[in-house]
Amino acid sequence: MVGDRDRRNPGIIPRTFTKIFEIIHDNESKFEFKVSAYMLELYNDRLQDLFVSPAEAFSKRIEIKRDRKGLVFAQGAETKEAASAGELFALFEQGCANRHIAATKMNVESSRSHLIIGIMIESRNLTNGSVSFGKLSLVDLAGSERASKTGAKDDQLKEANSINKSLSALGDVISALSMEQPHVPYRNNKLTQLMQDSLGGNAKTLMFLNISPSDCNLDETLTSLIYATRVKAITNNAQRNIDSKEIAQLKEVILKLKSGQPVEEDV
């Protein structure tokens, strides 16, 4: 997801940052863009804000909410704007420095949490004033763990149990979606609640799998491939989220009124 340290071979996340602003640059004569992001980790069943210090993150309460259009947002989390790919990557590096990692027998730098980056993009058509908006979720899932292989004990064992529990919940959601069941158990875990607008409904979902070529990891490799096969069975009808010029203006007025700002009479 990240790539190497010197960025000679960037991973999906930095490549995505670059591509977003390449598209913005190519269309800036027709649209006005606003890009903002939040960055969270799910650690031991608790959502923590990575844009603040670990001490502050521990004391903050983050709640998962949905707006009327089904867009999921993290109430209480810091949201920061970025004007370039470089600014977005700097925010990402800041957040990564606060993420929980540890060494195990399987990995020198093992992720002890799931990483969720939400990138909100709003564009205003300079010709007709209509506003389009969407969210891109970049999720770096910690790998499922077997204590017998990782040597996890005490706190690491607790972390592993939490990781496996949330991955199991995600698997249940994927199964329900792929089999088109009437009830999808999003609420069984905070990970699936936070990913609800990225799985099913008006969303396009991509999963990239990192598997091992070693014979000793054959069981994990097969399990991961089966997991990904179920994801591939999910089919959605993604649509654009767009507001007319009038609706966009009304929303702007409401925001100003809520914040106590003056509103022009001709708006």
Side-chain angles (χ1 to χ4, degrees):
M1 290 294 287
V2 181
D4 54 10
R5 292 182 181 277
D6 58 10
R7 297 172 65 182
R8 291 182 180 178
N9 295 294
I12 293 168
I13 291 174
R15 287 173 185 264
T16 300
F17 295 166
T18 299
K19 191 63 179 178
I20 286 172
F21 283 94
E22 283 180 355
I23 294 172
I24 287 175
H25 178 72
D26 291 342
N27 292 276
E28 60 187 4
S29 63
K30 301 176 183 177
F31 298 89
E32 180 181 87
F33 292 92
K34 176 183 175 182
V35 178
S36 58
Y38 62 77
M39 188 168 171
L40 308 171
E41 70 171 348
L42 180 60
Y43 177 71
N44 283 345
D45 299 322
R46 177 184 170 85
L47 284 173
Q48 296 194 188
D49 191 343
L50 294 176
F51 281 161
V52 299
S53 68
E56 187 178 349
F58 186 77
S59 62
K60 288 184 70 173
R61 179 179 174 82
I62 297 174
E63 295 185 2
I64 303 168
K65 301 288 186 179
R66 295 180 67 197
D67 65 15
R68 292 182 178 178
K69 293 190 176 182
L71 186 71
V72 175
F73 61 97
Q75 189 177 70
E78 290 281 332
T79 300
K80 299 193 176 184
E81 292 188 24
S84 67
E87 285 186 16
L88 199 51
F89 191 79
L91 289 172
F92 171 69
E93 288 188 313
Q94 172 191 332
C96 285
N98 294 326
R99 190 181 179 189
H100 286 84
I101 60 172
T104 70
K105 289 182 179 180
M106 296 286 289
N107 197 336
V108 176
E109 290 187 357
S110 173
S111 301
R112 312 310 298 165
S113 65
H114 301 300
L115 174 68
I116 303 101
I117 306 167
I119 303 174
M120 285 68 68
I121 304 173
E122 181 180 299
S123 66
R124 183 185 297 273
N125 189 310
L126 297 177
T127 302
N128 60 25
S130 64
V131 176
S132 301
F133 55 92
K135 187 178 79 169
L136 175 64
S137 296
L138 297 169
V139 183
D140 184 9
L141 296 172
S144 59
E145 294 191 348
R146 296 184 180 183
S148 59
K149 285 191 173 183
T150 62
K153 295 180 180 179
D154 303 324
D155 287 345
Q156 286 192 3
L157 187 59
K158 181 181 178 182
E159 294 164 352
N161 289 336
S162 175
I163 289 168
N164 292 340
K165 177 183 174 183
S166 54
L167 289 175
S168 177
L170 180 57
D172 292 341
V173 166
I174 289 167
S175 291
L177 288 169
S178 61
M179 292 187 289
E180 298 184 354
Q181 294 180 358
H183 173 68
V184 181
Y186 291 114
R187 298 185 65 83
N188 286 0
N189 191 271
K190 289 181 180 178
L191 176 65
T192 48
Q193 287 183 57
L194 202 56
M195 293 178 66
Q196 184 169 350
D197 60 353
S198 300
L199 296 164
N202 186 27
K204 175 69 175 177
T205 308
L206 298 175
M207 174 176 279
F208 297 88
L209 216 61
N210 184 22
I211 58 177
S212 169
S214 301
D215 289 343
C216 64
N217 295 323
L218 178 61
D219 289 343
E220 287 84 355
T221 296
L222 289 174
T223 300
S224 298
L225 289 172
I226 292 170
Y227 201 100
T229 301
R230 290 154 67 191
V231 176
K232 193 175 180 181
I234 301 173
T235 55
N236 297 330
N237 181 25
Q239 299 176 352
R240 294 176 65 190
N241 291 314
I242 188 166
D243 284 338
S244 66
K245 178 180 179 180
E246 291 75 18
I247 292 176
Q249 287 179 334
L250 286 172
K251 286 185 175 180
E252 189 174 339
V253 169
I254 291 170
L255 286 174
K256 285 183 177 180
L257 289 171
K258 284 183 176 180
S259 62
Q261 298 180 44
V263 177
E264 296 179 10
E265 293 183 359
D266 59 342
V267 174

